[in-house]
Amino acid sequence: MDYILGGQLLVLFFALLWFFISNNFFKKNKILDNKLLIILFLTTVSFYWGLRPFDVGTDTGNYYNAFISIDVSKPIHYYLSSLKGDYLFYIVLYVCRKYLDFSWFLTFCSFITSLGFYLLYKNFNLGKKIENHLLAPVFIFLYFSLFSYTSIYCNIIRNGCALPYSLLFVLKLFNKEYKLSFIYMIVSLSFHMSSIILILIALGLFFVKISVPSCFIIYLSCVTFSILGYGLGSIPLISNLSNARLAGYLGDNDIGYTTGFRLDFTLYNFFFLLLAYILSDKKDKGFKFFFKLYVLTSSFFVLCYSLIYSDRFGIYSWFLIPIVLLFSINNFPLRKKFLISVLFLFVFWGINIIIFI
């Protein structure tokens, strides 16, 4: 069986197990704390992807080459001095190279990503404690029903290590827990600098008032520019940068990656944008903040269509979808909220399997 599909079926198995257990308790007017189930799920996911064959994931070979090229006879500060970012990730790489093997390195990276999602689970908050116990597992399973879930575990693993901590930064920023938000920001950026996209947009929304209609105008403008063939690569300030990391996205597309306007990605993002907006309570502060964040990160993503590997920027909008969807139904009665969120989960999983696997 295909390893990627196996990873998706693993999610389906645990999601169904959670649903039957929780539904039986809920019928008896009891709420089960699913913490142990989520820990088991995330641990299983971590070992599944950490112990994967080395040919699973396009970038796995590149990480292996980086792993074996490290000269562990030299001290770590010598190694880090030659880098220009992602220091925390490369510390993990160096330590695993010195004391362990490549499989353990992949496993540690998987656990770092899973730990971030567990912290998101623990910080899930829609208000009442009873609702958090019931719906927090949906929050996690929605993340793992995204088609890009497999990519952050087996391909773009630096982004995967950074992503949940950038989401934690946003949650803590929104709740005005500034010290924790700062810590998560540093952790996220230390794993991969691309998380600066989500961080800067969130900071902009937090300090600058902008209306939902204005965000829509920005989004539609970006879609129009992309249709006309303009994107980030068309901006002289960006296209003239000599940064080696950016060169890989702006250079010749000799790998056949689809660039230019992407109707599939646009419809995907717009579908969840429209669904959340229709269902939502427009006065809910949480919904408004995260919805605007989703629209603006989607706008940035649209401008990235002209770049190679644009989907690596798309994750910073895609992984906001579970938050936006659950905030959009926050004003519903608990029973209806539970059933709708479960419907979200299985429809979401089905859409991603059918379209992208």
Side-chain angles (χ1 to χ4, degrees):
M1 182 179 64
D2 180 80
Y3 208 85
I4 304 294
L5 179 59
Q8 293 283 12
L9 292 175
L10 183 66
V11 176
L12 180 62
F13 169 78
F14 275 96
L16 287 170
L17 179 64
W18 161 79
F19 171 70
F20 287 121
I21 294 173
S22 294
N23 193 47
N24 287 335
F25 270 78
F26 196 37
K27 285 178 179 178
K28 300 173 185 177
N29 295 316
K30 297 179 181 179
I31 302 296
L32 180 67
D33 187 344
N34 290 279
K35 182 166 59 176
L36 288 178
L37 177 64
I38 294 300
I39 291 174
L40 178 61
F41 167 65
L42 291 173
T43 301
T44 305
V45 164
S46 298
F47 278 118
Y48 181 84
W49 292 109
L51 300 176
R52 69 183 182 273
F54 294 170
D55 60 347
V56 175
T58 337
D59 281 359
T60 304
N62 296 332
Y63 287 117
Y64 180 73
N65 292 333
F67 183 83
I68 62 174
S69 68
I70 296 174
D71 183 358
V72 291
S73 65
K74 295 179 179 178
I76 191 169
H77 64 80
Y78 177 88
Y79 170 64
L80 293 177
S81 65
S82 63
L83 302 174
K84 295 182 179 179
D86 306 347
Y87 297 110
L88 202 50
F89 177 84
Y90 284 107
I91 288 173
V92 176
L93 188 70
Y94 179 92
V95 171
C96 289
R97 172 59 171 153
K98 189 164 186 174
Y99 299 106
L100 301 165
D101 61 18
F102 187 62
S103 289
W104 274 111
F105 164 70
L106 295 178
T107 304
F108 272 127
C109 288
S110 294
F111 269 99
I112 289 166
T113 302
S114 294
L115 175 61
F117 282 112
Y118 179 74
L119 292 172
L120 280 168
Y121 164 79
K122 290 292 291 181
N123 285 275
F124 175 83
N125 185 3
L126 283 177
K128 298 177 183 177
K129 188 175 181 180
I130 190 171
E131 296 185 7
N132 295 339
H133 280 315
L134 183 64
L135 298 178
V138 182
F139 186 56
I140 289 301
F141 289 129
L142 277 171
Y143 276 124
F144 285 80
S145 295
L146 285 159
F147 74 94
S148 44
Y149 130 69
T150 58
S151 187
I152 65 172
Y153 272 92
C154 75
N155 192 20
I156 51 173
I157 59 178
R158 279 184 296 176
N159 302 69
C161 289
L163 178 63
Y165 300 97
S166 65
L167 293 168
L168 282 162
F169 159 78
V170 175
L171 286 174
K172 293 302 179 183
L173 179 70
F174 174 71
N175 291 322
K176 298 182 179 180
E177 298 176 54
Y178 300 122
K179 290 182 180 178
L180 281 173
S181 68
F182 179 76
I183 291 171
Y184 286 130
M185 179 182 72
I186 297 302
V187 170
S188 178
L189 292 173
S190 297
F191 277 121
H192 201 263
M193 279 297 296
S194 66
S195 61
I196 195 72
I197 296 165
L198 180 59
I199 289 167
L200 287 180
I201 295 174
L203 284 170
L205 275 177
F206 190 76
F207 291 109
V208 179
K209 289 185 178 179
I210 181 171
S211 65
V212 170
S214 297
C215 291
F216 275 127
I217 291 171
I218 292 171
Y219 177 73
L220 293 174
S221 299
C222 290
V223 170
T224 303
F225 286 140
S226 182
I227 291 172
L228 295 174
Y230 298 101
L232 286 183
S234 306
I235 301 173
L237 181 63
I238 294 177
S239 60
N240 293 333
L241 287 175
S242 59
N243 184 287
R245 180 172 290 184
L246 285 173
Y249 300 107
L250 296 168
D252 294 332
N253 184 11
D254 55 1
I255 60 167
Y257 187 92
T258 302
T259 56
F261 181 68
R262 294 289 301 260
L263 182 61
D264 52 350
F265 286 158
T266 304
L267 290 177
Y268 183 80
N269 279 48
F270 185 73
F271 171 76
F272 291 108
L273 183 157
L274 190 62
L275 178 64
Y277 189 76
I278 291 171
L279 291 173
S280 70
D281 174 7
K282 311 301 186 294
K283 296 179 181 179
D284 185 290
K285 290 183 179 179
F287 171 77
K288 285 198 293 186
F289 178 79
F290 286 102
F291 182 75
K292 288 188 287 187
L293 184 59
Y294 174 62
V295 175
L296 292 180
T297 51
S298 297
S299 302
F300 182 86
F301 175 40
V302 168
L303 294 178
C304 292
Y305 289 168
S306 59
L307 307 181
I308 307 171
Y309 309 119
S310 60
D311 53 326
R312 300 187 181 194
F313 300 99
I315 61 171
Y316 295 107
S317 62
W318 295 330
F319 277 83
L320 287 169
I321 293 173
I323 303 177
V324 173
L325 287 180
L326 291 182
F327 263 114
S328 70
I329 60 170
N330 198 24
N331 61 321
F332 285 38
L334 181 57
R335 179 67 183 177
K336 186 176 286 188
K337 191 183 299 186
F338 174 70
L339 293 175
I340 293 175
S341 61
V342 170
L343 181 63
F344 279 161
L345 171 59
F346 293 111
V347 170
F348 205 33
W349 187 89
I351 288 173
N352 286 308
I353 286 288
I354 293 168
I355 296 177
F356 294 104
I357 296 296

